[in-house]
Every structure is written in C-alpha cells, then in structure tokens.
C-alpha cells in the first residue's frame, strides 16, 4: 500500500440499512430538550442552532438507504408538487380558504384540475409534512404552505428549481467535460451547458419569463435577516449621513443591480430624513417592472447596464447587494472599475453587501448559495481573503471596514478610493 493511503474501508450492503448513528440519539434528544429552553429568550441564533441539531438527530436515526431515497425520490417530488401548486393556483386558493380542513374534491373543482392528480400531489406533500392530512383526501394548510401563496416565497421554485435544476443536476457532466476545473468563465457556465444556451442566468430567466419570479425570490431571501442599516449593525449616521451633501438634488445612494429596489425602500424606512436621491439601477426589464406607488415614491428607477460607464458621478454611496457574487473575479472587477471611475475622491463610498464566507464552519445557507453561484453563473461566495484580493488587489480600492452581522448574515464591506 502506498504511503499515506489507508486500508480501504469495507462497505457492506448491511451499512445501507443500519441507522447512521443510533447510539448518539439519546444524547441528542437530551441536548435538544435542554437547549429548547433557550427558545423562550427569542434568540434567533439559538433557534437556528437547535434546528441544525434536530437535523443531526434525523440523520442519526435515518439509514443511508432512507437518506438516498429521500434525495432521489422524495425531495424532487416535493419540488414538482410545489411547482404544480404554484402554477394551478393551489397555494392562493388554500390560503384564501384559511386554516380549515380542505377537501381535494372541492379544491380540484375550483381549480379545474383532475382530482386524481391533485390527490396524488397533496398525498406526497402530506407525507412529507408540508400539509396536515386530517382525513382521506382532506388537508389543513401549514404555515409553510400558506406562505407559498406569497410571490416572495413561491418565486424561487420556478426561477431556481425549474431554471437552475438542470445546472445542478448536470454539474458532474459539465465538470467531466472541463477536466474538473473550478468554473470561472461567465461565458461558459454549468447552466449554459445544461440548457444548451449562450445566455447567462439573467438572460435566460428573462427569455423564459422567470425574471419576475427571481426578483420576487430576492424579496423573500432577505426576510428575517438583519439589514445592515438597522440599529446595532452599521452606524449609518456616522458612516454615511455625516458629511453627505445636503441638497435634495445630490445623489445619496445608487443601488447598482438593485432589482426592484427592496434595499433602498428598506433604507428609506429606517432613515427617512436622509438628504438626496435614492437611485435604483438594473436591467431595463427589471426597473421597467417597478410600478410607481406611494410606497416607492422615494426611489428613482434608472435602466443601466453595470458593465457600461456609470452615469451618476460623485454619489455619496454606490451600493452593490448580492451582485458581485453573481460574477467571477474578471467580470466583478469590471463592475467595480465602472464604479471606481464614478467615485469622488474623499467623498464617495462603495458599499458591498455580501457574504464573507468563513474558512471553517460555514452556515448551510451560505455554502448552498456558493454552489448556486457556481452552477448558475460560474461565480462564487467569497472569503475575507477573496474580498481583499478582488477589491484591493485587482481593483485598487481600499477596504475601510468589514461590518459583520453575525453567522449566515451578509456583511457590509465599506470601501473608498485609495
Ligand atoms: C442577485 S440579484 C440582486 C438584486 C438586489 N441587489 C437584491 O439584493 O435584492 C442581481 C441583480 O443584478 C441584475 N443584473 C444582472 N446583470 C446586470 C447588468 N448587466 N446590469 C445591471 N443589472 C444586472 C439582475 O437583474 C438582478 O436584479
């Protein structure tokens, strides 16, 4: 046996039907009961840690075969049922009916869907715990299924599972044909390979009619996360407002690739008295779908491709949220270069709101998002080192401070011209 190579582990078929870690179960249950007491404090981090422990408990109880069947049958079948529910209006109808028990026959008649089909879809969602089965072909909604009636919750399924699914599921084929290299070419992504297209994720989503779903999904992703402009995270007054031009015509913040303007609206809610304009820039189709309303009166939408020259010069802040992680370093530095050229020395700030993925113990949402970026866009979530290499090394800007919001929460990377 060559040096450094250990004896191979003999895996017998019996392994597949033996619970993964049964001996750990009593201890895990005891810990769960003990740690559940901290839920009373309302601490979100403690709740998330408990959910991870509960997952460890399920994994310990399951046999490898059960885990495999869950992955290969049960989870894809859940996605299929949820997508059908989106499409035929099931989630909206169930939410309209309220939390009472609902019969498949009546739901099917209202939706004009074959009751046999609906019964099969709901049976699986019931079996997986996403609906409560209260009798034969009769279900009560759960808070999850009620939430699916909201576009911010249901938009991720078509825009990421229908669109992104082929990229994930064929990643191994893409990698086999690319000699197992880490993808870093925005013009040759696993998504393009899987869909046999030259369009990138955003172009493909637009051409398939899923861009609105994606933007709604972005509105859902942000829920329940501490925004950087909230008290106790970044001291906005000190970092941005102090020293900003007082004229209402001056531009206070440009949200570049800002989608429907969720971030600027949230900023305005927290800081309504800030002077100057709040401009949201995105692709024409995206800003074109911002419907003027009382709520978004504070926003100025502007169509702008962030690879082109930045038309707004000398704003107090240029802001990028979940934009640079969509692009590999060469393209990300082009976006940063356009902003650098528009910044006013000693005045403008560049604010990057993104994950700083830790070198160990990454939160599962962040590690998942990294693979979403890899598969859909040949891009990545970045570590602190990666951010310094990109912002300072490649682009010649200076990172003033990385404001951290805690585990699994995006940081705010405050940058200036050197
Ligand atoms: C991941 S989303 C982030 C949206 C928003 N900043 C947020 O956090 O909710 C990336 C955004 O970049 C936009 N985008 C993609 N390519 C663009 C381009 N070339 N110019 C401007 N915006 C672009 C997309 O339309 C999308 O709204």
């Amino acid at each position: 046996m060559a040096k450094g190579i250990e004896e191979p582990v003999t895996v017998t078929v019996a392994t597949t039907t033996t619970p993964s870690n049964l001996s750990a179960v009593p201890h895990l249950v005891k810990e769960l009961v003990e740690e559940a007491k901290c839920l009373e404090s309302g601490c979100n981090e403690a709740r998330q840690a408990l959910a991870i422990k509960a997952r460890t408990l399920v994994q310990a109880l399951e046999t490898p075969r059960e885990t495999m069947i869950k992955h290969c049958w049960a989870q894809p079948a859940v996605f299929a049922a949820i997508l059908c529910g989106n499409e035929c209006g099931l989630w909206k109808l169930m939410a309209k009916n309220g939390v009472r028990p609902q019969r498949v026959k009546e739901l099917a008649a209202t939706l004009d869907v074959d009751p046999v089909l609906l019964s099969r879809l709901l049976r699986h969602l019931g079996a997986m715990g996403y609906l409560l089965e209260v009798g034969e072909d009769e279900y009560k909604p759960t808070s999850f299924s009620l939430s699916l009636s909201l576009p911010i919750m249901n938009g991720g399924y078509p825009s990421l599972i229908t669109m992104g699914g082929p990229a994930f599921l064929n990643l191994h084929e893409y990698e086999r044909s690319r000699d197992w290299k880490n993808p870093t070419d925005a013009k040759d992504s696993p998504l393009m390979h899987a869909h046999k297209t030259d369009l990138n994720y955003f172009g493909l989503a637009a051409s398939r009619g899923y861009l609105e779903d994606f933007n709604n999904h972005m509105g859902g992703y942000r829920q329940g996360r501490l925004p950087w402009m909230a008290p106790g995270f970044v001291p906005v007054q000190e970092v941005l407002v102090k020293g900003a031009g007082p004229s209402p015509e001056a531009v206070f913040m440009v949200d570049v690739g800002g989608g429907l303007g969720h971030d600027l609206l949230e900023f305005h809610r927290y800081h309504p008295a800030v002077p100057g304009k709040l401009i949201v820039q995105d692709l024409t189709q995206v800003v074109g779908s911002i419907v003027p309303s009382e709520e978004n009166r504070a926003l100025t939408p502007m169509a702008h491709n962030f690879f082109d020259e930045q038309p707004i010069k000398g704003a107090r802040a240029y802001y990028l949220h979940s934009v640079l992680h969509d692009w590999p370093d060469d393209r990300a530095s082009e976006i940063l270069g356009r902003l650098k050229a528009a910044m006013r020395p000693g005045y403008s700030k560049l604010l990057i709101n993104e994950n700083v993925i830790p070198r160990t113990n990454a939160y599962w949402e962040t590690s998942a998002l990294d693979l979403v970026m890899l598969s859909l866009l040949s891009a990545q979530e970045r570590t602190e080192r990666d951010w310094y290499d990109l912002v300072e090394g490649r682009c010649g800007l200076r990172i003033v401070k990385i404001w951290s919001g805690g585990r699994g929460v995006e940081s705010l990377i405050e940058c200036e011209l050197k």
Side-chain angles (χ1 to χ4, degrees):
M1 178 125 330
K3 207 173 143 206
I5 298 186
E6 292 171 10
E7 286 289 334
V9 178
T10 309
V11 183
T12 64
V13 174
T15 311
T16 67
T17 53
T18 307
S20 293
N21 196 0
L22 216 46
S23 62
V25 168
H27 184 63
L28 281 169
V29 171
K30 214 166 133 201
E31 280 188 346
L32 274 168
V33 171
E34 195 49 41
E35 288 169 28
K37 291 177 190 150
C38 70
L39 292 178
E40 286 154 23
S41 72
C43 169
N44 199 38
E45 279 195 23
R47 182 191 59 78
Q48 287 173 335
L50 206 62
I52 290 174
K53 190 152 278 174
R55 183 187 68 190
T56 308
L57 173 66
V58 171
Q59 286 171 344
L61 280 166
E62 271 177 2
T63 67
R65 179 201 160 275
E66 286 162 352
T67 308
M68 178 272 289
I69 296 290
K70 187 167 77 183
H71 291 162
C72 296
W73 299 357
Q75 287 176 347
V78 165
F79 302 150
I82 289 177
L83 281 158
C84 286
N86 274 3
E87 190 73 23
C88 73
L90 174 70
W91 308 123
K92 287 205 168 77
L93 176 62
M94 287 191 89
K96 191 170 149 228
N97 291 342
V99 289
R100 65 170 174 81
Q102 303 179 32
R103 289 184 190 284
V104 167
K105 218 170 107 189
E106 286 150 24
L107 293 169
T110 312
L111 296 169
D112 199 18
V113 168
D114 185 340
V116 179
L117 170 68
L118 194 62
S119 161
R120 294 172 69 185
L121 295 170
L122 297 199
R123 179 170 57 199
H124 182 53
L125 292 176
M128 292 295 284
Y130 295 115
L131 288 172
L132 291 177
E133 189 181 53
V134 291
E136 187 178 338
D137 276 333
E138 193 172 9
Y139 297 90
K140 269 174 85 165
T142 57
S143 77
F144 173 70
S145 69
L146 288 171
S147 302
L148 286 175
S149 64
L150 304 172
I152 58 164
M153 281 291 288
N154 62 42
Y157 292 85
S159 62
L160 287 171
I161 306 235
T162 307
M163 292 272 311
F168 292 126
L169 303 181
N170 294 290
L171 180 61
H172 61 293
E173 289 188 5
Y174 168 90
E175 287 299 346
R176 191 200 302 139
S177 65
R178 304 293 189 281
D179 290 331
W180 296 92
K181 297 267 190 317
N182 185 44
T184 55
D185 181 355
K187 293 202 169 77
D188 176 31
S189 68
L191 177 106
M192 291 168 168
H193 177 76
H195 284 275
K196 298 188 178 30
T197 176
D198 291 336
L199 296 172
N200 77 359
Y201 175 78
F202 300 103
L204 190 63
S207 76
R208 300 266 309 264
Y210 290 132
L211 208 51
E212 192 179 339
D213 288 314
F214 174 76
N215 288 319
N216 286 329
H217 170 67
M218 291 309 296
Y221 161 58
R222 61 188 303 109
Q223 301 301 318
R225 298 162 70 86
L226 186 69
W228 59 269
M229 67 283 284
F233 195 156
V234 176
V236 167
Q237 197 65 27
E238 198 181 299
V239 172
L240 292 175
V241 181
K242 210 164 101 186
S247 158
E249 288 313 305
V251 176
F252 185 79
M253 197 180 297
V254 188
D255 186 354
V256 181
L260 302 178
H262 299 293
D263 282 65
L264 285 185
L265 285 175
E266 189 155 44
F267 184 85
H268 184 66
R269 276 195 294 275
Y270 277 103
H271 305 282
V274 157
K277 289 186 184 165
L278 301 175
I279 297 181
V280 56
Q281 295 179 334
D282 208 292
L283 298 170
T284 312
Q285 306 97 298
V286 178
V287 287
S289 66
I290 301 177
V291 184
S293 69
E294 190 50 33
E295 200 211 350
N296 60 32
R297 209 164 42 97
L299 296 188
T300 307
M302 177 184 285
H304 172 62
N305 179 338
F306 47 47
F307 291 109
D308 294 341
E309 182 182 338
Q310 172 56 244
I312 306 294
K313 315 284 183 200
R316 174 60 166 159
Y318 295 90
Y319 173 65
L320 292 161
H321 182 196
S322 299
V323 167
L324 297 177
H325 76 162
D326 292 338
W327 301 93
D329 282 354
D330 56 344
R331 300 291 277 158
S333 51
E334 286 174 40
I335 299 171
L336 289 173
R338 292 300 193 183
L339 298 180
K340 186 179 167 191
M343 288 166 74
R344 192 168 111 202
Y347 180 73
S348 299
K349 304 250 181 196
L350 171 72
L351 305 173
I352 302 171
N353 190 200
E354 292 245 6
N355 290 303
V356 178
I357 194 164
R359 295 171 70 88
T360 59
N361 199 24
Y363 188 53
W364 61 270
E365 285 191 19
T366 321
S367 59
L369 194 57
D370 181 51
L371 294 187
V372 173
M373 294 306 133
L374 182 155
S375 304
L376 271 52
L377 292 147
S378 292
Q380 66 177 114
E381 295 303 307
R382 292 180 168 89
T383 62
E384 187 172 319
R385 183 73 267 143
D386 294 331
W387 282 116
Y388 272 93
D389 285 350
L390 175 66
V391 173
E392 298 207 339
R394 267 184 183 256
C395 299
L397 288 148
R398 186 172 81 85
I399 294 184
V400 180
K401 183 169 170 130
I402 298 184
W403 300 87
S404 169
R407 189 161 190 245
V409 177
E410 291 151 320
S411 300
L412 192 80
I413 307 173
E414 180 191 344
C415 315
E416 287 178 352
L417 291 173
K418 264 189 183 156

Short mmCIF file of all heavy atoms in Angstrom, two decimals, residues 280-302:
data_model
loop_
_atom_site.label_atom_id
_atom_site.label_comp_id
_atom_site.label_asym_id
_atom_site.label_seq_id
_atom_site.Cartn_x
_atom_site.Cartn_y
_atom_site.Cartn_z
N VAL A 280 -32.26 53.53 -7.97
CA VAL A 280 -32.10 52.09 -8.17
C VAL A 280 -31.85 51.83 -9.65
O VAL A 280 -32.62 52.26 -10.50
CB VAL A 280 -33.30 51.27 -7.61
CG1 VAL A 280 -34.63 51.70 -8.20
CG2 VAL A 280 -33.10 49.77 -7.85
N GLN A 281 -30.72 51.15 -9.92
CA GLN A 281 -30.36 50.83 -11.31
C GLN A 281 -30.44 49.32 -11.51
O GLN A 281 -30.03 48.55 -10.64
CB GLN A 281 -28.91 51.27 -11.59
CG GLN A 281 -28.69 52.75 -11.53
CD GLN A 281 -27.24 53.13 -11.80
OE1 GLN A 281 -26.34 52.32 -11.57
NE2 GLN A 281 -27.02 54.35 -12.27
N ASP A 282 -30.96 48.92 -12.67
CA ASP A 282 -30.95 47.49 -13.02
C ASP A 282 -31.23 47.40 -14.51
O ASP A 282 -31.33 48.44 -15.20
CB ASP A 282 -32.00 46.70 -12.20
CG ASP A 282 -31.59 45.23 -12.02
OD1 ASP A 282 -31.59 44.50 -13.03
OD2 ASP A 282 -31.28 44.82 -10.89
N LEU A 283 -31.36 46.18 -15.01
CA LEU A 283 -31.65 45.98 -16.43
C LEU A 283 -33.02 46.59 -16.76
O LEU A 283 -33.89 46.68 -15.87
CB LEU A 283 -31.67 44.48 -16.74
CG LEU A 283 -30.33 43.76 -16.51
CD1 LEU A 283 -30.52 42.26 -16.61
CD2 LEU A 283 -29.28 44.24 -17.50
N THR A 284 -33.18 46.97 -18.03
CA THR A 284 -34.42 47.65 -18.45
C THR A 284 -35.67 46.88 -18.03
O THR A 284 -36.62 47.47 -17.51
CB THR A 284 -34.41 47.82 -19.99
OG1 THR A 284 -33.15 48.33 -20.35
CG2 THR A 284 -35.50 48.74 -20.47
N GLN A 285 -35.66 45.54 -18.28
CA GLN A 285 -36.88 44.76 -17.96
C GLN A 285 -37.18 44.82 -16.46
O GLN A 285 -38.33 44.75 -16.06
CB GLN A 285 -36.71 43.27 -18.29
CG GLN A 285 -36.29 42.91 -19.68
CD GLN A 285 -34.80 42.67 -19.73
OE1 GLN A 285 -34.02 43.58 -19.45
NE2 GLN A 285 -34.39 41.47 -20.11
N VAL A 286 -36.14 44.90 -15.64
CA VAL A 286 -36.35 44.85 -14.19
C VAL A 286 -36.88 46.19 -13.68
O VAL A 286 -37.94 46.25 -13.05
CB VAL A 286 -35.06 44.44 -13.45
CG1 VAL A 286 -35.28 44.42 -11.95
CG2 VAL A 286 -34.57 43.07 -13.94
N VAL A 287 -36.16 47.28 -13.98
CA VAL A 287 -36.66 48.58 -13.47
C VAL A 287 -37.98 48.95 -14.13
O VAL A 287 -38.81 49.62 -13.52
CB VAL A 287 -35.63 49.73 -13.61
CG1 VAL A 287 -34.51 49.59 -12.62
CG2 VAL A 287 -35.10 49.87 -15.01
N GLY A 288 -38.19 48.43 -15.35
CA GLY A 288 -39.46 48.70 -16.04
C GLY A 288 -40.64 48.08 -15.30
O GLY A 288 -41.78 48.49 -15.50
N SER A 289 -40.37 47.08 -14.48
CA SER A 289 -41.50 46.45 -13.78
C SER A 289 -41.73 47.06 -12.39
O SER A 289 -42.58 46.59 -11.64
CB SER A 289 -41.28 44.93 -13.66
OG SER A 289 -40.17 44.66 -12.85
N ILE A 290 -40.99 48.13 -12.06
CA ILE A 290 -41.27 48.84 -10.80
C ILE A 290 -42.49 49.74 -11.02
O ILE A 290 -42.43 50.69 -11.80
CB ILE A 290 -40.06 49.67 -10.32
CG1 ILE A 290 -38.83 48.77 -10.13
CG2 ILE A 290 -40.38 50.44 -9.04
CD1 ILE A 290 -37.56 49.51 -9.74
N VAL A 291 -43.57 49.38 -10.38
CA VAL A 291 -44.82 50.15 -10.58
C VAL A 291 -44.80 51.33 -9.61
O VAL A 291 -44.65 51.14 -8.40
CB VAL A 291 -46.05 49.25 -10.29
CG1 VAL A 291 -47.35 50.01 -10.59
CG2 VAL A 291 -45.97 47.96 -11.09
N PRO A 292 -44.91 52.57 -10.16
CA PRO A 292 -44.89 53.73 -9.26
C PRO A 292 -46.02 53.64 -8.23
O PRO A 292 -47.15 53.31 -8.57
CB PRO A 292 -45.11 54.92 -10.20
CG PRO A 292 -44.83 54.41 -11.56
CD PRO A 292 -45.10 52.94 -11.55
N SER A 293 -45.68 53.85 -6.98
CA SER A 293 -46.70 53.77 -5.92
C SER A 293 -46.28 54.72 -4.79
O SER A 293 -45.15 55.23 -4.77
CB SER A 293 -46.78 52.35 -5.37
OG SER A 293 -45.59 52.05 -4.66
N GLU A 294 -47.18 54.91 -3.87
CA GLU A 294 -46.90 55.77 -2.72
C GLU A 294 -45.67 55.23 -1.97
O GLU A 294 -44.79 55.96 -1.56
CB GLU A 294 -48.14 55.79 -1.81
CG GLU A 294 -48.12 56.81 -0.70
CD GLU A 294 -47.77 58.23 -1.16
OE1 GLU A 294 -48.12 58.63 -2.30
OE2 GLU A 294 -47.12 58.92 -0.37
N GLU A 295 -45.62 53.88 -1.90
CA GLU A 295 -44.55 53.24 -1.12
C GLU A 295 -43.17 53.49 -1.74
O GLU A 295 -42.21 53.76 -1.02
CB GLU A 295 -44.82 51.73 -1.05
CG GLU A 295 -44.08 51.06 0.10
CD GLU A 295 -43.69 49.63 -0.20
OE1 GLU A 295 -44.14 49.06 -1.19
OE2 GLU A 295 -42.90 49.09 0.61
N ASN A 296 -43.09 53.42 -3.09
CA ASN A 296 -41.75 53.57 -3.67
C ASN A 296 -41.50 54.98 -4.26
O ASN A 296 -40.62 55.16 -5.08
CB ASN A 296 -41.44 52.46 -4.67
CG ASN A 296 -42.40 52.40 -5.82
OD1 ASN A 296 -42.92 53.44 -6.23
ND2 ASN A 296 -42.65 51.21 -6.35
N ARG A 297 -42.25 55.95 -3.76
CA ARG A 297 -42.11 57.34 -4.22
C ARG A 297 -40.69 57.88 -3.99
O ARG A 297 -40.19 58.70 -4.74
CB ARG A 297 -43.12 58.20 -3.46
CG ARG A 297 -43.63 59.41 -4.19
CD ARG A 297 -44.87 59.96 -3.53
NE ARG A 297 -44.76 59.95 -2.06
CZ ARG A 297 -44.40 60.98 -1.32
NH1 ARG A 297 -44.13 62.13 -1.89
NH2 ARG A 297 -44.36 60.89 -0.01
N ALA A 298 -40.04 57.36 -2.94
CA ALA A 298 -38.71 57.86 -2.60
C ALA A 298 -37.63 57.38 -3.57
O ALA A 298 -36.50 57.84 -3.53
CB ALA A 298 -38.35 57.41 -1.18
N LEU A 299 -37.98 56.44 -4.46
CA LEU A 299 -36.98 55.85 -5.36
C LEU A 299 -36.97 56.50 -6.73
O LEU A 299 -38.02 56.88 -7.24
CB LEU A 299 -37.30 54.37 -5.62
CG LEU A 299 -37.27 53.38 -4.49
CD1 LEU A 299 -37.42 51.98 -5.05
CD2 LEU A 299 -35.96 53.51 -3.74
N THR A 300 -35.78 56.56 -7.33
CA THR A 300 -35.68 56.96 -8.73
C THR A 300 -35.16 55.74 -9.50
O THR A 300 -33.98 55.40 -9.38
CB THR A 300 -34.69 58.14 -8.92
OG1 THR A 300 -35.08 59.18 -8.02
CG2 THR A 300 -34.68 58.64 -10.34
N PRO A 301 -36.02 55.05 -10.27
CA PRO A 301 -35.53 53.91 -11.04
C PRO A 301 -34.77 54.37 -12.28
O PRO A 301 -35.13 55.38 -12.88
CB PRO A 301 -36.80 53.15 -11.44
CG PRO A 301 -37.94 53.83 -10.74
CD PRO A 301 -37.48 55.21 -10.40
N MET A 302 -33.73 53.63 -12.66
CA MET A 302 -32.93 54.00 -13.82
C MET A 302 -32.41 52.73 -14.50
O MET A 302 -31.78 51.90 -13.83
CB MET A 302 -31.74 54.86 -13.36
CG MET A 302 -30.79 55.25 -14.47
SD MET A 302 -29.36 56.14 -13.82
CE MET A 302 -30.07 57.70 -13.46
#
